[in-house]
Amino acid sequence: MCENIFKELLGEMMESELAEFDNAPDRKPSLRHRLAMKRIFARYERNKLKENERTTAVELPRSRLNFKQRIILALVIVLLMSFLVGWVVVFTSKDFHGIIYADNTQLFAINTENAPTIIEYQYTLDHVPEGFELIKTVSSPTFVYTYYLNNSTEQTIVLEQSVKLHYDPHYDNERSKFDEFNINGKTGLFIDFSTEKLNSSTFIWDNGDYIIEISLDLDKDSAIDLLEINNFL
Amino acid sequence: MIDLIISTIENEEQRNELAEFYSTHRNWLCNIAYSKLKDRFDAEDAVQTVFAEIADDPEIFFKIAPRNRRAYVGIIVRNVSIEMYKKRNKVQLEELDEETEDTSFSLEDEVFDKITREELLSFMKQLPIEQQTVLLLHYYFDLTIYETAQRLHISVSTVNNRLKSARGAIRKFIDEGNTNYV
């Protein structure tokens, strides 16, 4: 009863403080935020699937299914789920595999063994083209996002570093396709988002420890020069 | 096979629950973050950070009663936003070094012989946000000290210190019968 009084007061305090945001203006989320949230929900889904797999692994012996039966069962479920969510095509390259959906592709790293599970070393661009400056860095234990901007031209450079186990982004490549690049022996994926008015490209590669992704509002040759100057390639 | 299909469907429902929760409260949560950070993109980052943590460790989120989840995430978003603001502005938070073990706390009915309920509520609202947050997570949402520390990315002793300071301030306010605070 006595604890309840305190709890009630805390509840009232919280409700009155949070109530001021009830009628706040509607804010349209940015594209970057929507994509990030998509990744987060995909990560959540994968974590739950892992948890389910762990539970299933314990329960399977009780169901007395042999290995062959389990494979058939898994195939049936994949086909059933594919039927439910729409046609799904699998994407593979040297270091990445992924799932191609109707309007985006989700990538995963292939070689995750012995890779760090947290960011132990944070990469930055030592050299950026003239006019660009570091605007902000957002980091979590598994992800680093570094944003550079040229204020006069509004061109951006975004460097992202992810631990391999948590790398599962969706790429909006409805109008572009993944190409493999091989520059100075370094291989990875390249997407050209350029339009008539704007150069924009993204390079993604596995550097052994992390997945590095760099998105630049530069033409491909300038982008490669920048990667070489920074010893990324 | 039925078990497997059911577990897959259950998982899908829970995934949708998180996405649906986000979709229902996104604007409200972004506004809480915006009120502290005054930057739209930073506010979105704060909300993303909170949901990323829920995605990685959903246990605490789903432990909270569904009717309280909105307020719980609101409090966490507010806390993350304040931390981001401090980091951005290089504000250092002074922490006390003392530790305490006993976190039990209750108010006797006689409390309201000395002060009114409204006076106490008004005083609690004036406590530092950091103290309010640990009080809410520990006493209102029933998280353990460890879970509170984990969720706020602070040490267990910091949680204890904040709880101790908050309880001490409330006790003092009650004992002095509000005379020093009017």
Side-chain angles (χ1 to χ4, degrees):
Chain A
M1 174 64 190
C2 301
E3 282 184 14
N4 282 347
I5 296 174
F6 187 51
K7 204 165 182 173
E8 277 173 26
L9 282 166
L10 284 172
E12 282 178 44
M13 175 184 82
M14 178 183 68
E15 289 301 334
S16 69
E17 288 186 7
L18 295 180
E20 66 178 286
F21 302 103
D22 284 347
N23 299 315
D26 196 14
R27 296 180 194 280
K28 194 181 172 206
S30 65
L31 175 64
R32 186 172 71 84
H33 178 65
R34 278 183 288 162
L35 288 173
M37 291 308 296
K38 220 172 181 179
R39 291 180 192 185
I40 287 168
F41 295 132
R43 191 199 303 177
Y44 172 71
E45 185 181 14
R46 212 177 63 215
N47 288 341
K48 293 304 293 179
L49 277 173
K50 273 183 198 163
E51 181 64 24
N52 275 1
E53 279 168 14
R54 199 176 57 78
T55 315
T56 311
V58 175
E59 288 174 355
L60 271 175
R62 276 196 290 145
S63 66
R64 290 175 189 164
L65 293 175
N66 64 28
F67 182 72
K68 200 184 252 180
Q69 285 171 318
R70 274 185 257 166
I71 294 289
I72 292 168
L73 194 59
L75 281 173
V76 169
I77 290 169
V78 167
L79 287 172
L80 189 64
M81 293 307 289
S82 302
F83 178 74
L84 288 173
V85 300
W87 182 243
V88 171
V89 180
V90 175
F91 169 92
T92 50
S93 76
K94 180 175 168 278
D95 293 319
F96 300 92
H97 65 92
I99 302 170
I100 302 171
Y101 297 100
D103 62 351
N104 70 84
T105 300
Q106 184 178 20
L107 287 188
F108 304 94
I110 289 178
N111 305 312
T112 57
E113 268 183 41
N114 301 323
T117 53
I118 56 166
I119 302 286
E120 292 169 355
Y121 176 80
Q122 189 172 323
Y123 293 92
T124 53
L125 293 175
D126 293 331
H127 306 279
V128 288
E130 200 180 334
F132 280 84
E133 57 180 322
L134 175 66
I135 299 297
K136 69 173 173 181
T137 300
V138 178
S139 58
S140 77
T142 58
F143 180 74
V144 181
Y145 170 94
T146 312
Y147 178 67
Y148 301 84
L149 174 71
N150 183 327
N151 266 316
S152 55
T153 61
E154 295 193 340
Q155 288 171 294
T156 64
I157 298 174
V158 175
L159 175 66
E160 295 178 67
Q161 176 184 353
S162 310
V163 300
K164 292 188 192 179
L165 275 173
H166 287 181
Y167 178 77
D168 57 1
H170 291 257
Y171 291 91
D172 181 5
N173 62 336
E174 204 172 358
R175 294 185 192 86
S176 322
K177 66 181 181 64
F178 282 107
D179 284 326
E180 291 193 14
F181 72 78
N182 186 333
I183 304 165
N184 301 337
K186 171 70 74 183
T187 57
L189 296 174
F190 168 75
I191 320 174
D192 189 353
F193 293 110
S194 298
T195 61
E196 283 178 9
K197 292 179 182 172
L198 178 74
N199 285 315
S200 178
S201 53
T202 295
F203 292 80
I204 311 154
W205 69 97
D206 179 341
N207 81 343
D209 290 333
Y210 305 101
I211 300 300
I212 309 292
E213 174 178 334
I214 185 162
S215 302
L216 321 92
D217 292 343
L218 300 172
D219 62 76
K220 188 177 179 181
D221 290 340
S222 306
I224 291 170
D225 287 345
L226 182 69
L227 295 178
E228 283 180 333
I229 291 171
N230 282 280
N231 292 323
F232 277 149
L233 295 176
Chain B
M1 176 161 181
I2 296 292
D3 285 349
L4 269 175
I5 291 172
I6 287 172
S7 70
T8 308
I9 291 168
E10 279 172 351
N11 170 60
E12 186 73 9
E13 278 174 358
Q14 211 168 48
R15 179 182 72 83
N16 288 340
E17 193 174 2
L18 187 65
E20 204 172 293
F21 178 87
Y22 162 76
S23 155
T24 309
H25 304 300
R26 179 193 58 77
N27 195 51
W28 184 72
L29 293 168
C30 282
N31 277 306
I32 291 175
Y34 185 82
S35 74
K36 303 292 173 201
L37 293 162
K38 306 294 180 204
D39 178 281
R40 179 190 159 199
F41 297 109
D42 283 349
E44 289 179 347
D45 286 344
V47 172
Q48 280 165 221
T49 302
V50 172
F51 276 86
E53 286 178 6
I54 294 174
D56 285 341
D57 182 13
E59 199 179 329
I60 296 178
F61 177 76
F62 286 106
K63 175 184 156 183
I64 306 283
R67 68 176 184 285
N68 284 337
R69 281 179 193 158
R70 174 182 183 266
Y72 167 75
V73 178
I75 293 294
I76 300 293
V77 164
R78 185 180 67 171
N79 182 70
V80 166
S81 306
I82 290 169
E83 291 305 317
M84 281 175 66
Y85 177 84
K86 282 177 182 168
K87 218 177 254 181
R88 199 175 64 186
N89 294 282
K90 296 188 170 61
V91 177
Q92 296 299 317
L93 183 70
E94 286 181 17
E95 301 290 358
L96 299 173
D97 292 331
E98 297 169 48
E99 288 192 28
T100 180
E101 297 283 323
D102 180 19
T103 65
S104 60
F105 188 68
S106 60
L107 295 177
E108 299 76 20
D109 290 332
E110 293 74 34
V111 159
F112 298 116
D113 293 343
K114 293 181 181 177
I115 50 169
T116 66
R117 187 186 175 92
E118 286 67 34
E119 283 169 341
L120 181 54
L121 187 59
S122 167
F123 176 75
M124 287 166 62
K125 284 183 188 172
Q126 290 169 36
L127 289 172
I129 295 279
E130 292 83 4
Q131 292 181 15
Q132 288 184 23
T133 304
V134 291
L135 284 177
L136 285 167
L137 294 186
H138 184 55
Y139 292 111
Y140 187 80
F141 292 111
D142 295 323
L143 299 196
T144 64
I145 297 288
Y146 177 76
E147 287 170 337
T148 305
Q150 192 186 10
R151 191 44 86 218
L152 299 179
H153 301 290
I154 55 179
S155 68
V156 167
S157 66
T158 302
V159 174
N160 275 325
N161 286 330
R162 288 182 187 176
L163 286 175
K164 187 182 178 184
S165 301
R167 286 193 310 261
I170 293 171
R171 277 275 170 236
K172 192 176 175 198
F173 177 75
I174 293 167
D175 292 344
E176 293 178 0
N178 193 23
T179 51
N180 291 339
Y181 297 89
V182 178

